[in-house]
Amino acid sequence: MKQRSLLSLLSIFLCMPIVANQTNGLLIFLDDSETTIGAITSNFVTAVAQHAGPILASASLIVNAIHDHAGKYNERLVSEYARYETMYAAALNTVAKTTNEAMNIHQGNLQAVQAYQAKYAKATSELDLINSLLHSFNIRAMRSLTYTLLNQFWIIKEVNPSLYLLLPVRYLCEKGVPLSQAKKYSNGPLTPIELSLGLQINHLKTLGLYGVGKSKAWGNDYFVSALSQLFITHEQYRQSNAVIAIPQWSIYINGHGLMGQMVANLSIEQFKDLLSFLENRIFTRLLVYSSCYAAGMNAEKIYLDSEKQIPLRYSFPIITQALLDSPTYFPQPKVTAVENALALVSQLHFDTFFNRITQPGMLNYEELIRPIEFYAMAPQLAIKNIPQIKLPSLPWFSVLDANRKTVSIGSILAQSRTAPLDIGKFFKRQGAVAEPIAVLLYAGEIPFDLEFHTTHMPHIISMISGDAMHHIKKLISDLHDALVVCASMDVALQGPRKIFLIDEVQAPPFIQTPLTHVIVESGPTDFNLFMEFNGTIYTDHFAPATEQQIKRYHELLARFAVNEKEIMARRAAQSSLTPQAIENIQKVMAAQAQRQKQNKEK
C-alpha cells in the first residue's frame, strides 16, 4: 500500500505543470452597447493611450472608440483645442468679472440689478456653449487619438470576429519579443513566444484597424467560448513538454452590469464559467473587475452553487470595485495638446495598475487598486466604487479599506454592546478621530445610540444583501441638523429596498426633544422620510404628512412591530412642550428644509 501510494503521488507530480513563477497581466474591456464615449469606452481609450499592457476587447467597443476618425485629423484638432482653450479662458474671466461687479451694486437700484442679471446670464450662457463645444471636441479628439495609437503602436490579433487581442509594441519589446515574430500566424505547435507569454498569439491572425468589424452579438457567447483559444492551459503546457516558467495571471475585466442579470457584460452564468476557467485551466494570481451592480445580490448569485446551495470558493483573491447594488462611476478622460500633439489626461492610471499586478512577491491590495480607484479623486461621488476583496478559499467579501474610509458595525458588535457609540472616537486611528464617509451596517438590530460628532455626516449604508430592515435605537449629532442626519440613509439603489427605523433622532433643532419613530425608506425609484414630533407625523421637508403618507408610515411601522404603548408614551411626553417652543422648532426646521431643497436644485 505504501509503495502504491508513493507511485500514485509520483505520477500526479509528473502530470502537473511546472509551478508558475512569473506573472503576466491582461486587461479586458467588454461592451456591445455604447455608441458614444461611455464609461467602458473611456476606460479602454485610457488604457490604450497609456500603453498599459495586453488588452482583450470587444470588436464593437474598438469600432466605437475610433468611429470614423483617422489620424489625419490630429493636426486640425490641435489647433482647434488651442482656440477653444482661449475662448474658455476668456468666458471664464468674463463670468468672474461680472460676479465681482455685483459687489458694487446697491440692491435698491432695480435698474442696475436687472442690468447685472442680464449681463451675468449672457456670460454664463456663453460659458455653457463653450463647455459644450469642448465636450464635443473631447469626443472627437479621443477617437482620433485612439485611432492613431492603435494604428502605430499596437498589434491587433483576431480571436474571433467579435473579440480582439491588442498587444502594445512597448510591452512586446520589454518581453524581448521581435515584432515580426509576434505578427506571424501558424497552425502548428505552440511557439516559444506563445509559451512564454501564455497567449496563443501566433495562432491568431494579425489584422489592421480596417479589419475590425462591429459585432451585433449581445449574448457575449463570443467571450467565454474563446478563452481556451486565447490562453495556453495547463493541459497544453503538459503536452508541450517545454521546460519553461509557466506564467500566472493577474486579470482585470471591465463592462456594464444589470441588476440580477449581468456583471462586466457577462451573464451570471457566464461569469461563473469565467471563474471556473480561471480556477481550473490556468494559474490565476488575481482577478479584479469593475462593473455596475457587481456587489450585493449579483455577487450572491455568482458565488453560490445553485444546485448544492453552498458558497463557491476560489484559490485566488478576487477584488470587485463595487460596494452596493448600484451603478458605479468612472471619470471621463480629457484630451489636451502638448507640443503640437494630442495627449490624453485621465485620473485613472491603468499603466501603473498593470505594473503593480504583475510585480513578483506579496501584493498590497490597497496600494494595488489605488491607480484605478476613482474614490481617491471624488469621495462623495464614488462611494459606490469602494472596493471589496474575497480572499482565497473564503466565502465572503470584505471591504478593502485600510485607510478607514468606512467603518463597519457587524453582528458581534451589535449583540455585545449597549452603551452609546461615538463613531469618531470608537473608530479613531493612531490617536486621530475617525472621519469616515460611510458607516456600513451588517446587522439588522442596532440596540445602542450612534453619535456623530464628525466634521462631515457620513452615509449610513445597509450591507445586508437584498431587501433589508434596520432598527437603530438613536442617532445623535450636535453638528448636523436632523434632516441631514436622516438623509444620510438615502443611497440610490436599483433593486433592493432598504428600510430604517430610528427610535429617536437627537440633532438640531431637536436637541431637547428628539424626533421619534423616524422611518427612512430607500427604494429603486423612491425615497420616503417620516418622523413624529409633538404627536404629528411629518415628511422629508418637515411638511405635515398627507392621509396617504400617514397610511404608508403606519404600514412601515407595523413591519417593525413597534409597540403602540411606546408610541403613545413618547407622544404624551412631547405634548408638554409650549406652543411657542413648538412653533420655533417648526420654523427652524422649515428653514433648514428650504435650504436643503435649494442646495439640491443647485
Side-chain angles (χ1 to χ4, degrees):
M1 289 294 292
K2 289 183 179 178
Q3 185 178 8
R4 185 176 300 175
S5 298
L6 182 60
L7 289 174
S8 176
L9 289 171
L10 183 59
S11 65
I12 291 172
F13 174 79
L14 292 174
C15 290
M16 288 296 289
I18 300 169
V19 175
N21 60 6
Q22 69 175 50
T23 302
N24 289 348
L26 182 65
L27 307 176
I28 303 173
F29 299 93
L30 300 177
D31 178 72
D32 301 288
S33 61
E34 292 184 358
T35 56
T36 185
I37 305 294
I40 312 306
T41 308
S42 289
N43 290 343
F44 167 73
V45 166
T46 300
V48 168
Q50 294 170 350
H51 307 269
I55 293 174
L56 189 63
S58 304
S60 58
L61 183 66
I62 300 172
V63 170
N64 181 49
I66 60 175
H67 202 48
D68 58 353
H69 288 76
K72 63 184 179 182
Y73 297 124
N74 283 3
E75 290 184 9
R76 189 182 75 191
L77 288 168
V78 168
S79 59
E80 192 176 334
Y81 172 79
R83 185 168 68 255
Y84 286 145
E85 280 291 285
T86 301
M87 292 168 60
Y88 179 78
L92 196 63
N93 183 60
T94 300
V95 170
K97 186 178 179 181
T98 306
T99 303
N100 290 334
E101 289 175 1
M103 304 297 293
N104 301 318
I105 298 175
H106 190 276
Q107 294 301 310
N109 189 340
L110 183 61
Q111 186 176 1
V113 170
Q114 290 175 338
Y116 159 75
Q117 289 174 338
K119 189 175 181 181
Y120 183 79
K122 181 182 178 182
T124 54
S125 177
E126 289 178 355
L127 185 62
D128 290 341
L129 175 61
I130 295 169
N131 272 323
S132 177
L133 292 172
L134 277 170
H135 177 73
S136 175
F137 161 82
N138 203 51
I139 299 295
R140 289 181 287 113
M142 276 196 284
R143 283 174 162 157
S144 184
L145 179 61
T146 305
Y147 181 97
T148 300
L149 293 172
L150 287 175
N151 208 34
Q152 296 181 8
F153 302 108
W154 292 73
I155 293 176
I156 302 173
K157 295 279 187 173
E158 183 184 71
V159 181
N160 61 46
S162 300
L163 191 66
Y164 289 81
L165 175 66
L166 312 177
L167 299 167
V169 170
R170 179 189 299 174
Y171 174 82
L172 293 172
C173 291
E174 290 172 352
K175 290 288 186 179
V177 177
L179 300 187
S180 59
Q181 295 296 313
K183 293 179 180 179
K184 278 188 176 180
Y185 177 75
S186 170
N187 281 324
L190 293 170
T191 65
I193 290 174
E194 290 177 313
L195 292 169
S196 174
L197 295 180
L199 300 171
Q200 301 182 49
I201 66 169
N202 296 130
H203 286 72
L204 305 175
K205 292 182 179 178
T206 302
L207 298 178
L209 273 178
Y210 59 84
V212 178
K214 185 174 182 179
S215 168
K216 295 182 179 179
W218 175 245
N220 301 313
D221 292 334
Y222 64 82
F223 173 71
V224 176
S225 61
L227 293 174
S228 57
Q229 298 171 245
L230 175 66
F231 289 95
I232 300 176
T233 63
H234 293 324
E235 296 87 346
Q236 290 172 301
Y237 274 111
R238 292 189 192 109
Q239 293 167 8
S240 72
N241 294 318
V243 180
I244 191 168
I246 299 176
Q248 56 184 349
W249 287 96
S250 288
I251 294 173
Y252 170 86
I253 182 167
N254 181 212
H256 286 297
L258 289 173
M259 172 62 69
Q261 301 177 45
M262 184 170 74
V263 170
N265 213 49
L266 300 172
S267 71
I268 301 298
E269 289 305 314
Q270 288 168 345
F271 203 97
K272 285 185 174 183
D273 291 340
L274 167 64
L275 290 169
S276 177
F277 182 89
L278 299 180
E279 176 72 15
N280 300 307
R281 304 293 300 280
I282 62 175
F283 280 118
T284 303
R285 186 191 192 194
L286 174 69
L287 171 66
V288 180
Y289 59 98
S290 300
S291 172
C292 293
Y293 309 105
M297 296 172 68
N298 277 358
E300 275 200 353
K301 291 182 178 180
I302 288 172
Y303 298 100
L304 180 70
D305 186 316
S306 52
E307 291 184 5
K308 299 179 181 179
Q309 292 295 300
I310 58 174
L312 294 170
R313 304 165 191 255
Y314 297 93
S315 61
F316 50 90
I318 301 170
I319 296 175
T320 175
Q321 283 188 284
L323 183 67
L324 306 165
D325 299 284
S326 65
T328 52
Y329 299 92
F330 287 97
Q332 190 175 81
K334 297 188 181 299
V335 177
T336 62
V338 180
E339 297 180 355
N340 293 321
L342 296 178
L344 186 134
V345 177
S346 174
Q347 295 174 335
L348 305 181
H349 301 279
F350 284 101
D351 49 352
T352 305
F353 169 72
F354 186 87
N355 289 335
R356 290 184 182 181
I357 65 175
T358 55
Q359 289 299 310
M362 296 293 291
L363 296 177
N364 180 328
Y365 299 114
E366 185 82 10
E367 289 299 316
L368 178 149
I369 203 76
R370 200 177 301 281
I372 57 169
E373 189 178 12
F374 181 45
Y375 159 81
M377 282 64 75
Q380 299 303 325
L381 260 183
I383 188 172
K384 297 167 189 177
N385 291 45
I386 291 176
Q388 299 185 81
I389 187 168
K390 187 176 188 291
L391 293 170
S393 300
L394 291 182
W396 63 79
F397 277 89
S398 303
V399 175
L400 192 58
D401 186 21
N403 292 329
R404 290 289 178 93
K405 299 182 287 287
T406 65
V407 295
S408 301
I409 298 177
S411 58
I412 295 176
L413 179 59
Q415 292 170 12
S416 61
R417 187 180 183 91
T418 56
L421 189 149
D422 184 320
I423 293 295
K425 291 181 179 178
F426 185 81
F427 293 101
K428 67 181 179 181
R429 190 179 183 198
Q430 296 177 347
V433 173
E435 285 282 352
I437 64 169
V439 176
L440 310 181
L441 302 184
Y442 292 88
E445 189 75 21
I446 311 296
F448 47 82
D449 301 352
L450 294 180
E451 298 183 9
F452 298 92
H453 308 296
T454 52
T455 305
H456 303 284
M457 181 65 201
H459 293 276
I460 300 176
I461 297 177
S462 170
M463 293 300 290
I464 297 176
S465 181
D467 294 344
M469 298 169 63
H470 295 270
H471 184 189
I472 304 172
K473 182 180 178 183
K474 190 174 185 178
L475 298 179
I476 301 172
S477 177
D478 55 355
L479 297 177
H480 311 289
D481 70 61
L483 281 182
V484 170
V485 173
C486 295
S488 68
M489 286 159 276
D490 179 18
V491 179
L493 305 174
Q494 292 189 11
R497 182 172 295 275
K498 310 293 186 180
I499 305 172
F500 301 83
L501 167 64
I502 306 98
D503 292 341
E504 292 185 346
V505 173
Q506 183 179 330
F510 303 98
I511 297 296
Q512 298 300 322
T513 307
L515 294 171
T516 61
H517 301 105
V518 176
I519 283 192
V520 179
E521 180 185 24
S522 183
T525 58
D526 60 327
F527 171 75
N528 293 311
L529 170 60
F530 303 104
M531 64 198 91
E532 286 196 37
F533 178 72
N534 195 42
T536 302
I537 301 169
Y538 295 90
T539 58
D540 55 344
H541 293 300
F542 206 65
T546 63
E547 186 176 338
Q548 186 176 359
Q549 289 172 327
I550 292 173
K551 181 181 178 181
R552 178 59 180 165
Y553 174 62
H554 284 294
E555 287 174 355
L556 295 173
L557 275 179
R559 290 196 189 185
F560 287 93
V562 174
N563 189 307
E564 284 295 326
K565 289 183 179 180
E566 180 189 348
I567 294 177
M568 295 303 295
R570 290 183 185 277
R571 287 176 178 170
Q574 287 191 341
S575 64
S576 61
L577 288 173
T578 65
Q580 184 62 47
I582 295 171
E583 184 181 352
N584 290 340
I585 290 176
Q586 288 176 332
K587 284 181 179 179
V588 172
M589 203 64 185
Q592 290 173 338
Q594 183 62 28
R595 286 199 302 272
Q596 187 178 9
K597 186 178 180 181
Q598 290 172 350
N599 289 336
K600 284 186 177 180
E601 289 173 353
K602 288 180 181 178

